[in-house]
C-alpha cells in the first residue's frame, strides 16, 4: 500500500509491467492533493467484513482537481477501482453501529466537509467486482476512460455531481448507478 504526500508524481514505467497490489485488507494507493498517478496496473482491493471497511485501488479522500489519475489499468478488484470520498463532518464513526444508516434516514443527506473533485482521465477499468469508480459526496471529472466487463461501472451517492464525458462503456452489467446524485453525462459511448 502506498500512502502519498501532497505534490508527488508517482509514474510507472509501463502499465502492462508495473503493478501495485494493495491486497484485500488495505487501499493500493491513498492519494493526496497535487499528485499525479500514472502508468500502473492497480489490482487487489477488497473488504474487511469484521470492521465493515471497504478498500480501493486508489482512495481519494478530500482531494481536489490537482489530483490526476491517468493512464492506469485497474484490473480485478473485488470492490472499488477508484473511491472518491469526502470526509463526514465531525469524522466518520469508527464503530459499526455509528457507520450504519437506518433505512428511515437513508434519504437524508449526511453532512460532509467538502466536495472532492479529482480528475480520472485515460484509464482502463476491467473486471471490477463492485464499482470501477465510486463517488461519495464528490464531483470528480471522469473522462476518456474505457470501462469493460465491470459489475457496476460508475456509482455515486450522497449528492455527488461527477462530470462523466468521452468514455467508452463496453459489456458492463450496470454502466451508471445513481443514488441521490446529479451527474453530468455527455458524449460517452455505451454498448
Amino acid at each position: 500500500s502506498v500512502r502519498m504526500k501532497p505534490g508527488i508524481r508517482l509514474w510507472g514505467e509501463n502499465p502492462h509491467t508495473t503493478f501495485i497490489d494493495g491486497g484485500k485488507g488495505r487501499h493500493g494507493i491513498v492519494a493526496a492533493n497535487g499528485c499525479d498517478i500514472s502508468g500502473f496496473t492497480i489490482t487487489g482491493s477488497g473488504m474487511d467484513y469484521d470492521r465493515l471497511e471497504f478498500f480501493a485501488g486508489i482512495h481519494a479522500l478530500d482531494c481536489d482537481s490537482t489530483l490526476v489519475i491517468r493512464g492506469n489499468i485497474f484490473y480485478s478488484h473485488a470492490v472499488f477501482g477508484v473511491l472518491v470520498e469526502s470526509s463526514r463532518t465531525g469524522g466518520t464513526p469508527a464503530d459499526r453501529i455509528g457507520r450504519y444508516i437506518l433505512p428511515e434516514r437513508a434519504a437524508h443527506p449526511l453532512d460532509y466537509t467538502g466536495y472532492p473533485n479529482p480528475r480520472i482521465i485515460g484509464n482502463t477499468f476491467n473486471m471490477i467486482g463492485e464499482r470501477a469508480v465510486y463517488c461519495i459526496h464528490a464531483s470528480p471529472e471522469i473522462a476518456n476512460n474505457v470501462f469493460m466487463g465491470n459489475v457496476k461501472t460508475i456509482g455515486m451517492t450522497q449528492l455527488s455531481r461527477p462530470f462523466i464525458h468521452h468514455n467508452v462503456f463496453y459489456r458492463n452489467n450496470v454502466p451508471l448507478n445513481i443514488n441521490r446524485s446529479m451527474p453530468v453525462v455527455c458524449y460517452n459511448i455505451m454498448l
Side-chain angles (χ1 to χ4, degrees):
S1 186
V2 178
R3 181 170 294 275
M4 300 189 70
K5 292 183 178 182
I8 299 293
R9 284 187 226 150
L10 185 63
W11 290 352
E13 183 178 15
N14 180 333
H16 298 283
T17 59
T18 312
F19 291 80
I20 293 177
D21 184 345
K24 292 189 178 6
R26 59 185 178 224
H27 301 295
I29 298 172
V30 178
N33 286 331
C35 291
D36 182 348
I37 302 168
S38 178
F40 296 96
T41 289
I42 302 169
T43 187
S45 68
M47 179 177 178
D48 183 331
Y49 288 95
D50 293 332
R51 295 185 328 196
L52 293 177
E53 206 171 335
F54 294 102
F55 299 101
I58 296 179
H59 186 212
L61 178 64
D62 297 327
C63 293
D64 61 27
S65 62
T66 61
L67 169 62
V68 179
I69 301 166
R70 62 186 177 89
N72 299 289
I73 299 169
F74 292 85
Y75 175 73
S76 191
H77 289 276
V79 185
F80 305 126
V82 177
L83 172 58
V84 182
E85 182 177 17
S86 177
S87 295
R88 287 192 203 174
T89 302
T92 301
D95 65 320
R96 273 189 256 177
I97 307 253
R99 285 194 304 270
Y100 181 73
I101 299 169
L102 296 170
E104 58 268 19
R105 300 267 315 144
H108 299 267
L110 299 172
D111 289 327
Y112 288 98
T113 57
Y115 251 115
N117 63 338
R119 295 176 289 159
I120 303 165
I121 299 171
N123 301 284
T124 300
F125 294 86
N126 182 248
M127 293 180 59
I128 311 295
E130 188 54 36
R131 289 167 182 89
V133 178
Y134 190 43
C135 308
I136 302 174
H137 195 79
S139 56
E141 179 181 9
I142 304 167
N144 297 338
N145 299 288
V146 175
F147 298 96
M148 56 187 175
N150 301 296
V151 176
K152 291 179 183 169
T153 307
I154 298 176
M156 59 204 81
T157 190
Q158 291 296 329
L159 307 176
S160 289
R161 298 186 293 218
F163 181 26
I164 303 165
H165 64 94
H166 295 94
N167 300 285
V168 175
F169 296 82
Y170 179 69
R171 297 184 65 102
N172 300 288
N173 289 359
V174 178
L176 297 175
N177 179 251
I178 303 168
N179 180 19
R180 294 174 285 153
S181 295
M182 302 158 283
V184 175
V185 182
C186 58
Y187 305 111
N188 296 282
I189 297 171
M190 294 188 180
L191 302 171

